[in-house]
Amino acid sequence: MSSKAQRAELQSQIWKIANDVRGSVDGWDFKQFVLGTLFYRFISENFTNYIEAGDDSVDYANLPDSVITPEIKDDAIKTKGYFIYPSQLFINIAKNANTNENLNSDLKDIFTAIESSANGYPSEVDIKGLFADFDTTSNRLGNSVKDKNSRLAAVIKGVDGLNFGNFEDNHIDLFGDAYEFLISNYAANAGKSGGEFFTPQNVSKLIAQLAMHKQDSVNKIYDPAAGSGSLLLQAKKHFDSHIIEDGFFGQEINHTTYNLARMNMFLHNINYDKFNIALGNTLLEPHYGDDKPFDAIVSNPPYSINWIGDEDPTLINDERFAPAGVLAPKSKADFAFVLHALSYLSSKGRAAIVCFPGIFYRGGAEQKIRKYLIDNNFVETVISLAPNLFFGTSIAVNILVLSKNKAENKTQFIDASGEDFFKKETNNNVLTDEHIKEIMSIFDNKEDKDHVAISIDNNKIAENDYNLSVSSYVEAEDTREVIDIRELNKEIATTVDKINNLRTSIDSIIQEIEA
């Protein structure tokens, strides 16, 4: 079976498990049980693989816990970030899941033990709370312990039956892809609430390539609105042949999504010492100020959300917002995220940010911020994408590319919203690899292309009230049929003659009949 077919079969099986088990529990609320079980199996097998180190004589799952010395445990935690005793491994819990009357409490104790194993170690902040949303005592699983155990066992046995193949060969890729498949499907089926934390992989791929274009290595990559980590992970996939020297950084305000992002890092084999995901409000409680600047920034921040804005007079003195001289409107925080990203961007790097189209043409504070960006030559490109690419919204969003090392005092505009830049599918439009390749080629060469791309001198943008809407500069192709009036008149005259001749013939026939 090809890897593509294997992945498709695996995804189908995982979604079947999710659907079978969630019948009595709301599907969106139940996602963490399926995702959490998948994660539990992964870290169990990943840890086993580390302990055994390819030695066929070692069967870690069948060792007694008593053989684990403090030295073994200490060394493992320093390397992997956590510790799992043989009796706590997923494989051993799965064996008796259907008959274990204490399954829900056993799982709770195991998850607590895994998290607490990192206490006092550098990995503590990365491990703490990973299983917080996998509440095995939740009434959502049932009112009785028996009901809870029955549903937990169904999930565990279902995940246990999945064939991920040989761990060293493809286990990690399949686990990670399966995890993202689940997240994306929950997002698609949850509408707006799901789309808020998941950027479709094809769009993520474009954003990652834009942010890291022509950089042979980056010091680190950052997402100020990390969601489930999909944008950061696409950067890893795109940049595997190069170097992301100091790892992956992100901040996320939603606790459940914050846990998903950290799990997602582990599932894609990014060790605890190579990622930093923080919980909190990026605009009001920003992390990683001491870690900036970043050579690559990717982000799909929430569109037009409320924030405190000028109700907090101290924010205008914040080093992120002060240079623009104005704060983003209280009802539209979009440019607050943009200015935050710009502040964290290095002099050699790029930021690629998904933006709501309205911020590029509205007046007031948003116009003043655009003026700051253009006058300082920070905007490299604005790309208009096709509608209906994201879950839960049909908006045709834009991608804003920021750079602090532009050679020319011009801004590029790309209209990638036409039918040549997306593929229609059942519920959503999608960007294919060919579409991404074409957009990247246009972005790279900066050459004008009729009805698709144009570079405009920043002075002309200033004369146009700092409007950055793509449609203001890229002339749409006129697809109306060109009509030759003279030829049309000839055709009309010919048609009139035919009608007159037909009437004459009909009159003659009628006269013959009446005679």
Side-chain angles (χ1 to χ4, degrees):
M1 182 185 295
S2 68
S3 59
K4 184 176 181 180
Q6 183 183 14
R7 183 171 283 104
E9 181 179 324
L10 181 64
Q11 290 174 345
S12 175
Q13 291 172 335
I14 289 176
W15 192 236
K16 184 177 186 302
I17 293 168
N19 279 321
D20 288 347
V21 177
R22 73 179 181 177
S24 55
V25 185
D26 181 77
W28 183 239
D29 288 337
F30 199 60
K31 71 183 182 303
Q32 56 263 37
F33 297 106
V34 181
L35 294 169
T37 302
L38 191 65
F39 178 70
Y40 174 38
R41 175 177 167 179
F42 170 80
I43 63 170
S44 293
E45 296 185 18
N46 185 288
F47 190 80
T48 298
N49 191 61
Y50 162 74
I51 292 291
E52 293 178 351
D55 187 344
D56 294 336
S57 67
V58 180
D59 185 1
Y60 186 64
N62 287 314
L63 292 177
D65 291 355
S66 58
V67 304
I68 304 301
T69 66
E71 291 77 18
I72 292 174
K73 185 176 181 180
D74 180 70
D75 184 66
I77 297 172
K78 287 177 179 176
T79 303
K80 298 300 293 180
Y82 58 91
F83 193 86
I84 306 177
Y85 282 97
S87 65
Q88 298 170 334
L89 292 170
F90 174 86
I91 190 174
N92 287 327
I93 294 300
K95 285 178 183 177
N96 304 311
N98 288 330
T99 57
N100 184 355
E101 296 180 355
N102 301 310
L103 179 61
N104 70 323
S105 58
D106 285 351
L107 284 172
K108 181 180 179 181
D109 291 343
I110 288 171
F111 298 157
T112 300
I114 293 173
E115 289 184 14
S116 61
S117 70
N119 289 350
Y121 288 85
S123 60
E124 180 176 353
V125 69
D126 299 306
I127 304 299
K128 185 177 182 179
L130 269 176
F131 292 98
D133 293 304
F134 196 159
D135 183 2
T136 62
T137 62
S138 171
N139 286 333
R140 286 178 294 174
L141 288 166
N143 293 322
S144 68
V145 171
K146 182 178 179 181
D147 286 342
K148 291 179 176 67
N149 288 340
S150 174
R151 287 175 185 134
L152 284 170
V155 178
I156 289 172
K157 297 303 287 187
V159 171
D160 183 47
L162 297 173
N163 178 20
F164 286 99
N166 183 280
F167 191 96
E168 292 82 356
D169 292 341
N170 56 24
H171 212 56
I172 292 164
D173 283 343
L174 284 176
F175 254 121
D177 285 352
Y179 194 77
E180 287 189 47
F181 169 79
L182 258 181
I183 294 175
S184 66
N185 271 274
Y186 275 122
N189 283 270
K192 184 176 185 294
S193 59
E196 282 178 349
F197 74 79
F198 187 81
T199 306
Q201 288 193 28
N202 40 28
V203 181
S204 298
K205 186 182 296 186
L206 173 61
I207 294 168
Q209 291 187 28
L210 288 167
M212 297 191 295
H213 184 59
K214 288 189 174 177
Q215 296 195 73
D216 293 329
S217 66
V218 299
N219 61 351
K220 47 206 165 189
I221 186 166
Y222 170 61
D223 185 346
S228 60
S230 57
L231 277 169
L232 292 172
L233 291 168
Q234 276 298 330
K236 174 185 181 291
K237 291 177 182 179
H238 176 65
F239 226 49
D240 269 346
S241 59
H242 302 296
I243 301 171
I244 298 177
E245 297 168 349
D246 298 321
F248 304 79
F249 292 72
Q251 185 165 346
E252 172 56 35
I253 194 171
N254 180 284
H255 191 277
T256 296
T257 315
Y258 157 72
N259 283 336
L260 288 178
R262 292 189 297 159
M263 288 182 179
N264 224 351
M265 294 295 124
F266 281 110
L267 283 164
H268 285 82
N269 206 33
I270 301 174
N271 209 38
Y272 77 92
D273 58 349
K274 278 293 186 180
F275 75 81
N276 292 271
I277 306 295
L279 176 65
N281 187 320
T282 298
L283 299 182
L284 303 183
E285 302 167 357
H287 288 247
Y288 310 123
D290 294 335
D291 295 287
K292 64 179 185 181
F294 294 86
D295 289 342
I297 296 177
V298 292
S299 193
N300 178 17
Y303 308 146
S304 301
I305 60 168
N306 294 326
W307 77 306
I308 193 168
D310 58 14
E311 283 187 19
D312 181 353
T314 65
L315 282 174
I316 195 61
N317 298 318
D318 189 304
E319 64 178 356
R320 298 170 297 165
F321 312 128
V326 66
L327 297 171
K330 287 184 290 187
S331 61
K332 303 175 181 68
D334 308 70
F335 265 128
F337 283 102
V338 170
L339 292 174
H340 171 89
L342 181 66
S343 173
Y344 275 46
L345 185 64
S346 74
S347 59
K348 62 165 271 192
R350 280 192 180 90
I353 307 167
V354 179
C355 295
F356 182 78
I359 72 169
F360 293 111
Y361 57 79
R362 291 190 295 238
E366 291 179 318
Q367 182 188 41
K368 292 177 182 176
I369 294 173
R370 294 197 303 271
K371 179 180 187 302
Y372 163 70
L373 295 175
I374 291 299
D375 286 351
N376 288 276
N377 202 27
F378 290 140
V379 180
E380 180 172 1
T381 303
V382 182
I383 304 172
S384 175
L385 295 180
N388 209 31
L389 290 174
F390 290 78
F391 301 121
T393 179
S394 60
I395 296 171
V397 301
N398 290 179
I399 297 177
L400 174 65
V401 183
L402 301 175
S403 174
K404 293 181 178 179
N405 60 353
K406 290 170 58 182
E408 290 187 302
N409 199 43
K410 290 184 176 183
T411 298
Q412 182 188 37
F413 296 89
I414 300 175
D415 184 354
S417 64
E419 293 186 358
D420 291 340
F421 292 97
F422 68 90
K423 176 184 177 184
K424 284 185 176 292
E425 292 200 347
T426 305
N427 296 319
N428 283 82
N429 294 326
V430 297
L431 288 173
T432 67
D433 286 346
E434 286 303 312
H435 296 139
I436 293 171
K437 184 178 179 181
E438 176 65 15
I439 293 171
M440 287 305 302
S441 174
I442 296 168
F443 172 75
D444 175 56
N445 62 43
K446 295 293 188 292
E447 294 178 0
D448 292 352
K449 184 175 181 180
D450 288 347
H451 312 301
V452 175
I454 191 170
S455 291
I456 301 292
D457 190 282
N458 286 345
N459 291 327
K460 291 189 177 297
I461 295 175
E463 292 172 5
N464 194 25
D465 295 327
Y466 294 95
N467 188 325
L468 294 179
S469 177
V470 173
S471 61
S472 295
Y473 302 101
V474 179
E475 183 182 357
E477 183 175 5
D478 188 349
T479 57
R480 294 175 299 178
E481 182 182 355
V482 177
I483 298 174
D484 187 325
I485 296 298
R486 286 176 295 183
E487 286 298 321
L488 179 61
N489 286 334
K490 287 181 180 179
E491 291 179 11
I492 292 174
T494 301
T495 302
V496 170
D497 287 342
K498 289 180 178 178
I499 292 172
N500 289 334
N501 290 334
L502 180 60
R503 283 175 176 168
T504 301
S505 298
I506 292 173
D507 288 342
S508 299
I509 294 172
I510 291 173
Q511 288 177 1
E512 290 178 4
I513 293 173
E514 290 177 347

